[in-house]
Amino acid sequence: DKCLRCGLATLKSGRSILIMKCQKGHTPTERENFNHAMPSPAGYRTALRFFATAERFGLPVLSLVDTVGAWPSFDAEIAGQSEAIATNLTAMAGLKVPMVTIVVGEGGSGGALAVAMGNKIGMLSKAYYSTITPEGAASILGRYKDEAHKKEQFPKDCQHLANVQNIYAPQLKELGVIDEVIWEKDGETCKEFPATANNITAFVETSLKELDSMDTSDLVQQRYGKFRAMGKFKEYPDAERQTLTGAPAEAKKAPKPAPPPCPKLLTHLTEKVLKGEHSFFKGKGPKDCPRTAKLMTCDAPEQAPNSKTILDRDGPEAMAKWVRETSKTRILLTDTTMRDAHQSLAATRMRTFDMLKGASEMSKHMHPLFSLECWGGATFDVSYRFLQEGAFDRLAKLRKAIPNICFQMLLRGANAVGYKSYPDNVVEEFVRASAECGMDVYRIFDCFNDVEQMKVSINAVKKANKVAEVVMCFTGDFLSKKETIYTLEYYKVLCKKCVDAGAHMIAIKDMAGLLKP
């Protein structure tokens, strides 16, 4: 181990001892060579062997602690860092020879305690001993507006936490964690410290002399009692403890979570849509209309049988019948956020990661909808070409996150989700694979309203026991006397062809916005 050193030594008084110390160094090169005073499992196991040696030859142990803590690395964890520390604590608890510990610099957490369970513990007056450094505590607890604020406030937080943590020698003596403060003389350095060295020698000799009078069982018992006495607690009588633990739990209603801050992107889109230079809505809102976007919380509606329930339980024909009956009393809606919305507004660049962040909320709040259009169209090729994502993987992840709402997609008939006509078996396999990943409703269309070009898709969807929503693309104005091609009769005949082809539902696709209210 680069840090923890163990060996035999002789005090000036002539007494033989076993000594262990944390090597730190004083220059950047030295500190690097000694692993910045962070022992590895190998170091702690070396100390463990020397504990056994001390017992075998009846030698007292002196440990000099100066470590920021045990080495925090994958290699150390693989080698059993926590086990090595725990084994040392067990060994020291039962050590049958005197042990004296001095914290000479830094005493960091379990890494220090693994060689510091002395019968007598001294601490240099300028050292610290704690479960975490004040800097580490401030990094966890500190809250800063920006780097400038952190630069000013962080040192103050460290100083405050150092006092609160009671890391200084006088505080720890008062708490009973250490036995004596070993005062360091001002002006002395690591190269020249005669007065401090005398104080250390006096503490070691006095402690060993006091411990010499104890037999092995007394040494173990004294060490046990010392560490058991650290900390303050209250032990309740049985009757009082039973009263406290047996009291009925107070029922508390969890407060509604506060809505998070509105994302900047949503604020920007709101400003553009409602107040933009070319906005249709500009100046038309009521006076009490909010000036910008905001997020609000709302209770999730109770789950009731919906289109997904009927489809999974009874099949596509039953679901289509349910839609016809339900639509008499209410409008069934489809949400297009995860497909047509970002295809139209953001070049289809919404990532799977972005969708999944809101998927659980959609599952909780949007199950009364007929469906979520979340796939197909341009989302397929953009996933692969630009986002470097798997389109089928996206569908499967969304289905896992939203199991209770029908998924809907746009299918371009013989073109599937591409831009040319594909062989029949490609279209059939595409439908099978997408249905397996979670697709429910296929909105199938052909830009020329050629039903023959849609039949392969329709049959594949029906084979997968999913819903074929066959589209009639609307164009022209059949109310105009000048219209001679796209007349009402044309659409009546087209609708019958769609039904005969096996459509469960008919959709009217008004892609040019020509259909009148």
Side-chain angles (χ1 to χ4, degrees), residues 448-481:
F448 297 114
N449 285 334
D450 187 347
V451 178
E452 291 299 318
Q453 293 292 324
M454 297 189 277
K455 281 187 177 179
V456 173
S457 299
I458 295 170
N459 292 334
V461 170
K462 295 183 72 175
K463 184 178 180 180
N465 206 35
K466 299 298 183 178
V467 177
E469 186 180 276
V470 182
V471 172
M472 298 191 302
C473 294
F474 184 82
T475 188
D477 180 5
F478 59 69
L479 296 179
S480 172
K481 295 180 180 179

Side-chain angles (χ1 to χ4, degrees), residues 182-218:
I182 302 173
W183 294 99
E184 303 172 70
K185 186 175 180 180
D186 290 338
E188 293 189 338
T189 68
C190 61
K191 294 180 179 180
E192 191 70 30
F193 53 100
T196 304
N198 287 336
N199 292 340
I200 293 173
T201 301
F203 172 73
V204 173
E205 292 287 5
T206 302
S207 298
L208 290 177
K209 186 175 181 180
E210 181 181 336
L211 296 173
D212 281 342
S213 61
M214 298 183 183
D215 60 25
T216 56
S217 60
D218 289 339

Side-chain angles (χ1 to χ4, degrees), residues 392 423-436 456 460:
F392 286 102
D424 292 354
N425 61 341
V426 173
V427 176
E428 290 167 349
E429 180 61 18
F430 175 83
V431 171
R432 186 204 63 77
S434 58
E436 192 174 275
V456 173

Side-chain angles (χ1 to χ4, degrees), residues 36 48 58 66 70 125 131 152 169 227 242 294 330 404 475 504:
H36 301 279
L48 182 65
D66 189 10
S125 56
T131 55
E152 177 187 355
F227 280 86
Q242 190 64 35
K294 65 176 180 178
R330 69 186 180 103
N404 58 333
T475 188
H504 296 115

